[in-house]
Amino acid sequence: MADWDHTPDIHREDRLGFDEAVFCLQKRPDQLRRILADADERGRTLLLTRLSAEQLAPLPTSYRERIDYDNLSHTGLFGSIQAPASAARVATVSAGTSDAGVAAEAVRTLRYYGEACHEIQDVGVAGLWRLLERIDEIRRLPVIIVVAGMDAALPSVLGGLVPGAVIAVPVSTGYGVAAEGRTALNAALTSCAPGLVVVNIDNGYGAACAALRMLRSLRPTEPTEGGNMPHG
Amino acid sequence: MADWDHTPDIHREDRLGFDEAVFCLQKRPDQLRRILADADERGRTLLLTRLSAEQLAPLPTSYRERIDYDNLSHTGLFGSIQAPASAARVATVSAGTSDAGVAAEAVRTLRYYGEACHEIQDVGVAGLWRLLERIDEIRRLPVIIVVAGMDAALPSVLGGLVPGAVIAVPVSTGYGVAAEGRTALNAALTSCAPGLVVVNIDNGYGAACAALRMLRSLRPTEPTEGGNMPHG
Amino acid sequence: MADWDHTPDIHREDRLGFDEAVFCLQKRPDQLRRILADADERGRTLLLTRLSAEQLAPLPTSYRERIDYDNLSHTGLFGSIQAPASAARVATVSAGTSDAGVAAEAVRTLRYYGEACHEIQDVGVAGLWRLLERIDEIRRLPVIIVVAGMDAALPSVLGGLVPGAVIAVPVSTGYGVAAEGRTALNAALTSCAPGLVVVNIDNGYGAACAALRMLRSLRPTEPTEGGNMPHG
Amino acid sequence: MADWDHTPDIHREDRLGFDEAVFCLQKRPDQLRRILADADERGRTLLLTRLSAEQLAPLPTSYRERIDYDNLSHTGLFGSIQAPASAARVATVSAGTSDAGVAAEAVRTLRYYGEACHEIQDVGVAGLWRLLERIDEIRRLPVIIVVAGMDAALPSVLGGLVPGAVIAVPVSTGYGVAAEGRTALNAALTSCAPGLVVVNIDNGYGAACAALRMLRSLRPTEPTEGGNMPHG
Amino acid sequence: MADWDHTPDIHREDRLGFDEAVFCLQKRPDQLRRILADADERGRTLLLTRLSAEQLAPLPTSYRERIDYDNLSHTGLFGSIQAPASAARVATVSAGTSDAGVAAEAVRTLRYYGEACHEIQDVGVAGLWRLLERIDEIRRLPVIIVVAGMDAALPSVLGGLVPGAVIAVPVSTGYGVAAEGRTALNAALTSCAPGLVVVNIDNGYGAACAALRMLRSLRPTEPTEGGNMPHG
Amino acid sequence: MADWDHTPDIHREDRLGFDEAVFCLQKRPDQLRRILADADERGRTLLLTRLSAEQLAPLPTSYRERIDYDNLSHTGLFGSIQAPASAARVATVSAGTSDAGVAAEAVRTLRYYGEACHEIQDVGVAGLWRLLERIDEIRRLPVIIVVAGMDAALPSVLGGLVPGAVIAVPVSTGYGVAAEGRTALNAALTSCAPGLVVVNIDNGYGAACAALRMLRSLRPTEPTEGGNMPHG
Amino acid sequence: MADWDHTPDIHREDRLGFDEAVFCLQKRPDQLRRILADADERGRTLLLTRLSAEQLAPLPTSYRERIDYDNLSHTGLFGSIQAPASAARVATVSAGTSDAGVAAEAVRTLRYYGEACHEIQDVGVAGLWRLLERIDEIRRLPVIIVVAGMDAALPSVLGGLVPGAVIAVPVSTGYGVAAEGRTALNAALTSCAPGLVVVNIDNGYGAACAALRMLRSLRPTEPTEGGNMPHG
Amino acid sequence: MADWDHTPDIHREDRLGFDEAVFCLQKRPDQLRRILADADERGRTLLLTRLSAEQLAPLPTSYRERIDYDNLSHTGLFGSIQAPASAARVATVSAGTSDAGVAAEAVRTLRYYGEACHEIQDVGVAGLWRLLERIDEIRRLPVIIVVAGMDAALPSVLGGLVPGAVIAVPVSTGYGVAAEGRTALNAALTSCAPGLVVVNIDNGYGAACAALRMLRSLRPTEPTEGGNMPHG
């Protein structure tokens, strides 16, 4: 009774250009094992997100050995993943130490789907010089994933400085009215910088998928020669 | 005292690729007049959003005549705007009659910046056949702006069917727990379709700017020949 | 002092057609033991909901042996329960793995009261083909319990496709603005599909009771011969 | 530009057993006129909800004369509607004067679809005798729509006394923490009476559609002879 | 540094008629020990609320032996407490098992201050006969503390049936939109029964103090002879 | 159709000691007229709350002349009301000008039921000397209704200084996070002064009914001779 | 009855260093007249905040002529106000046009109390160059009032660049999740820049009073010679 | 991959007058170790906030020995800190035992930056005499940090009695509608005492930084001789 029925969305790759990831939070060992067995049988790779070390431990060695696990992002890549074919077309920009895990989830998702990523960390606006020093580097990439908690001032500042697509990922750090990321989310949605887009709190995976949609449907234009930020 | 000081972000076009729009909500007639005079003097065009007919009426005839005003979207285009240079690369897809105004704000913003738009209306999921009949048409475009209020099921369904970038605009229609668009917003952010991105409630302008960021930084790939939705 | 006084609603079956279930969350072992002893004495069966394995363990063997416990739904059926007298008149339809436990609570409640149930799992709208493949199957049943978390798009889509009574059960899965099921709840309440009804978050038991109210007061009409979904 | 595109869900009646109603709130005169013209042409009837007297006034006389308008529920029935074929199978039960309009919306919706309705008003639980005096009358009907604002204690009390399907409609009356119906909604959803189902705040129309789904898919059982409430 | 400074409100009894209780939640062992030592020295009794068994254990035996601890209400009475001087003038009425602990906190607080209490349990409105059977008993007392979670329909029903002062204590039981007692709180505050008063969620102590304020400033009138509820 | 059915709770006075008031907000002229006619016929008095001058104007002169209307509290007393039989046993204490209307609703309700009231205004804690100057005056009364908006610090301060029953009425004044009285409500509910009780925002009527319940069930004790606040 | 009792906090200036302002929102004409008469009699000046032109109009000419009214900030200064004795020690910095009114309320309050103010407008972070061009100017002042709505990124950026006291005033502009200033408020409270302080939404008056408290209790240190922002 | 990149804001002291503190909540041991090593190398001191004993334990002895750890405030001072150069210019005033930890965080932050602090505890307004006894002591200091949870009445009362800068720190104590400090926060923001400023819930560190901004930019005026509170 109440037997668990697994129906993966096997046509997703055809429809969307990327396959279905496995969101592991609250999945039981037997469920994970069955999902891995199913992938193994079909000879498919898998992206596992929100996978804790505790969930990983009881899996059969034969599976565990084939999972490239990252402790910061809590992601696992099952099967052999291709190296990125081109230079990074996406940057992740994060504000502080607490945002590193969410940024890493985006990086790992992109990696799984064959995209390299340019990572920039610890450039929160309280010390604005850190961001300004690296802004030309960021401006050269067509898609920017910006990861910030608390007041999420970084997406607003960045959105006013770079011309590319800016995807804001609010983060559930902080305390009090940080409200587990809702303040960061709302700040990103009401940003005074035009044309920012936003995903759910802590959703590094979703931001990466959004970047993939853009990169698969569109093709980067030639980098503006020079490319440095105009005065002002 | 308390004299109003107007400092437009004149370098925005250089930095971001599009100039600063004028958000007219709650602006007084003298403020609007001054903004128009300033643009007139510099020989610039202007996009005016959230401009009510009541705000338009008292403006000097010489300005009013040069504003192409649209009553559905409450937008005005000041000065002469170029016709789109290419076929539509963006679709707007909206669920019901109440969403038409917000979708139109996106269309008009794109038009101001020289992008044509493919408009699809009244395809809410309660009558799913309406969306399925037009899904191949939508799939051919690299950027989709999907506009929906209430439970915002449309972005989820669409996001599962099309490979392009999908920008959801929640709409403040409905009553009770529709909560002036917050339910639509939250539903879009927690969509089970991967890689949707979201802008603020009723922010058709912001969705269009996000599309522009993508189209300026990236270039559409060739349309998949055939392009129809694969089975499933 | 502060002695605990147990007054079961013994006339409920006469009034409503089903007896009082025992909601076990936060009940202490001595309370559960007393409730079971009381039922034992009167020769009654019991439906125990939200019963954890930890609560079950310390119960006397004589009781534990007579409890049919299900780990997915956290329900226990005490005493001997009659097999369903007729074919399934209710379907449970759930979106993803995380919804399975809540759907199972509905199934088990129906089973306790002698109703069979047609279970359909893993048909979330992000892979719409999964639902469309099974829609005729669902349409044949007069009462549908649809279980979905996150953005709860499934009730809206389903509500637009089936003529029967549709009871939506929002689920507290997800993170960020999923807000422990409140987004799913609000989305279901503002569904654009007409005539959906909704119960509390994670309340599979309540949905089953609602189905029972319908099935006891009304009687299924003959299944529409053919019964397939008309075009569109 | 931004031309309004009307695509009614013309297959809805085939799929669901009832056609699409017109939600008039915020619809402009030209939109209403076009919808009426379209229905007129096809020889169809229409249910218009949330139609204000102000919206009605500017419509062409030829249309206005064929609209049976009710000022309490703000509904209009366009075209000639059949009288109910059977005695009432649904009761509406409302708590106070402020709930009358919402209850009337349910009554009118049922009437449009050919269902008579047994209306019981002003039986709020603060004067419990009023409800108890009429409880046997209510118990005889298989579907009960209960309409209540503020603390919504009525659905809980009623749900514990009647065996039929109980659909609660929270109402946006009251002030302070009544919170425009959210307290009534939440109270109905957490009712201690088992198996209540709930629709959105003020959604009399939705409650009626839910009743229709039940009455079309199921058939009332014979009224329990006697039918009076058992002791207790 | 950061030495903890204890300044009990020693004049409170003179001002308010009852002394300061010790709210133990989150107090550390050394703080509790110091408070008990201080009371011991002055020869005072103490009411300790929200005192867990874990906090009690490490206290010196000499103190622990003089604490009358109750596990249901998590209260401790330190020192020797006088027996109530009169028959009960306050009733506690609670809806279900989950409300018993909060009701017990009120009972114990009254006991500490020398008031007996008439306890009535398990009379939730879903089985209304349980309340109606005992209503005359409740009506005889001038002050009623009514304890209920979820939808808190009990205070409304009771408030419409008894003439005395009714103090509602919402309880943080339930799940989903029960919202840790906020729905019960809001329902009690918007009750359609006139003249209910409300205290914070789970605040049995506060309800008892409110009762004490009434009983110290006012004096019970003679019980209405007969005293039974008039018809209706 | 949808005819409005008026069923006053005619036994309320027998049950609770006071009759049903008429809450006029959103009642239409014909409803008010019918309620007044009904009372006239039965020779009863009426308390009308939330009655606007706009609602009063169109009533027949014969009714209007018998309504004692107060513009500050928006209350009307219909019929001839008895003068209070005793000196004031209730005080209303309000913080600022904005609280005056709500306090007046309490005063008028008490007046209707024959209770005099001691009114103290403009004693907000920002100028604490104003309250301290009058504290002995307030301490002499057994029931205090304290009316305050914004941060509602007044109930906390007062609750720490007076021994009588303290009923807090939060007021919907202020802006920003005053949140239409919710901050005042929450502050009153979490007051550090023990034994405060609270009613809904702006509910002066409810506070007065609560006072009536106390005064009818209990009898004031003799005023403490002296009665001044003890030192501290 | 219900006569309005005016008790100004006449000792406030002695206690706090500034007198009581008159918050005019929702005050009736007769109340304003009486307050002005009272001030006139005592020969005092008055600061009137949230005073609308509609409230001003019906006042007696003799009063109106002595009110210096400002339409942007909705403030009135009654009586003759001293010119500032020193150069500006406070700066107001605002993000956009919509913030101008709130900033002006702060400026006018400071002016009433004899403080000049350095006003900087339209320096929102979406066009960061505007702020950076003026940052040395701002750094020279010991107290900064920063006024911003929407995502309130300006306080964070500014707080990271200036050493003085920074008082953030969130503004209720924007739409959707701007939530009438709550997002700006929460963003300011969770700012990553250390030591920002915050006042209620739109509370320019309160920010000015906070500045006054600082300037009265402390004395500006000598401006850092040079004073320009160090590199970084 | 996902290597953690540490970029401290090394110029902060030059810009703001105080260096960057280390917020330790959720930092891993390796991150803390690296931060300490970096500071050690540069010969810098560090303020560590939200540092738990569990995080402290695994650090190398050489670092642990140089951390002055305080268990009440969960702060650590690394390196040798200078003694305060002047008498206390800041007071911390806290309401109850639960507020002591947050007040201590402010005290320790000030100590780290060389400011002494005058600490006043346990003066909640429920026993007002405790505050009034010490008010002259508090009035002598130019900057007051007031720490209070629950209803936060203390900042309002204090703000009406002292002329200095008052920084309110709401605390996340309490239960029910205390809502983890949000009620205290909102009460402080809507205080009727003019010119209070507020920081995030539990943010003792932020309040201290705000005090530092004031003390660095301004210089205390001579204490008012006498300095006692004027009458009233």
Side-chain angles (χ1 to χ4, degrees), chain A residues 50 172 180 182 185 200-202, chain B residues 190, chain C residues 174-180 183:
Chain A
R50 308 274 168 127
S172 63
E180 297 175 330
R182 284 194 302 276
L185 172 68
N200 196 6
I201 297 163
D202 292 337
Chain B
T190 56
Chain C
Y175 57 93
V177 296
E180 297 175 329
T183 292

Side-chain angles (χ1 to χ4, degrees), chain F residues 130-218:
Chain F
R130 296 178 298 192
L131 180 66
L132 296 181
E133 273 187 6
R134 306 192 70 174
I135 196 69
D136 287 333
E137 207 177 307
I138 300 169
R139 282 178 59 82
R140 287 200 188 86
L141 291 157
V143 181
I144 318 293
I145 293 171
V146 51
V147 181
M150 319 275 287
D151 59 345
L154 182 57
S156 279
V157 172
L158 198 62
L161 295 175
V162 305
V166 180
I167 304 164
V169 191
V171 176
S172 63
T173 51
Y175 58 93
V177 295
E180 297 176 328
R182 283 194 302 276
T183 291
L185 172 68
N186 290 338
L189 285 165
T190 56
S191 173
C192 43
L196 296 200
V197 290
V198 184
V199 296
N200 196 5
I201 297 163
D202 292 337
N203 193 5
Y205 164 75
C209 289
L212 285 166
R213 284 178 178 268
M214 296 172 199
L215 294 170
R216 301 283 156 99
S217 303
L218 300 159

Side-chain angles (χ1 to χ4, degrees), chain B residues 71-115:
Chain B
N71 194 46
L72 181 58
S73 60
H74 298 114
T75 53
L77 313 186
F78 177 75
S80 65
I81 309 300
Q82 303 276 4
S86 69
R89 300 184 290 178
V90 182
T92 55
V93 180
S94 57
T97 304
S98 323
D99 309 317
V102 174
E105 192 187 70
V107 171
R108 294 272 293 178
T109 300
L110 289 164
R111 172 74 46 95
Y112 176 76
Y113 291 112
E115 291 287 339

Side-chain angles (χ1 to χ4, degrees), chain E residues 1 36 48 52 57 76 91 96 99 114 134 136 140 149 173 192 200-201 204 207 215 217 226:
Chain E
M1 178 166 212
L36 287 163
L48 303 135
S52 67
D99 309 317
R134 306 192 69 176
D136 287 334
R140 286 200 187 87
T173 51
C192 43
N200 195 5
I201 296 163
L215 294 170
S217 303

Side-chain angles (χ1 to χ4, degrees), chain D residues 124-129 132-133 149-153 156-157 159-161 175-179 183 185-194 231-232, chain E residues 124-129 132-133 149-153 156-157 159-161 175-179 183 185-194 231-232:
Chain D
V125 302
L128 192 62
W129 61 273
L132 295 181
E133 272 186 8
M150 317 276 288
D151 59 344
S156 279
V157 171
L161 296 174
Y175 57 93
V177 294
T183 292
L185 172 69
N186 291 338
L189 284 165
T190 56
S191 173
C192 44
H231 166 73
Chain E
V125 302
L128 191 62
W129 60 274
L132 296 180
E133 273 186 7
M150 317 275 288
D151 59 343
S156 279
V157 170
L161 295 175
Y175 57 92
V177 295
T183 292
L185 172 69
N186 291 338
L189 285 164
T190 56
S191 173
C192 43
H231 166 73

Side-chain angles (χ1 to χ4, degrees), chain A residues 124-129 132-133 149-153 156-157 159-161 175-179 183 185-194 231-232, chain G residues 124-129 132-133 149-153 156-157 159-161 175-179 183 185-194 231-232:
Chain A
V125 303
L128 192 61
W129 61 275
L132 296 181
E133 273 186 7
M150 317 276 288
D151 59 344
S156 280
V157 171
L161 296 175
Y175 58 92
V177 296
T183 292
L185 172 68
N186 291 338
L189 284 164
T190 57
S191 172
C192 43
H231 166 74
Chain G
V125 302
L128 191 63
W129 61 274
L132 295 180
E133 273 187 7
M150 319 275 287
D151 59 344
S156 279
V157 171
L161 296 175
Y175 57 92
V177 296
T183 291
L185 172 68
N186 291 337
L189 285 164
T190 57
S191 173
C192 42
H231 166 73

Side-chain angles (χ1 to χ4, degrees), chain G residues 23-39:
Chain G
F23 180 70
C24 301
L25 194 73
Q26 297 180 319
K27 284 215 169 51
R28 294 169 315 181
D30 64 296
Q31 293 176 323
L32 287 176
R33 212 161 29 229
R34 192 153 137 205
I35 288 166
L36 287 163
D38 180 87

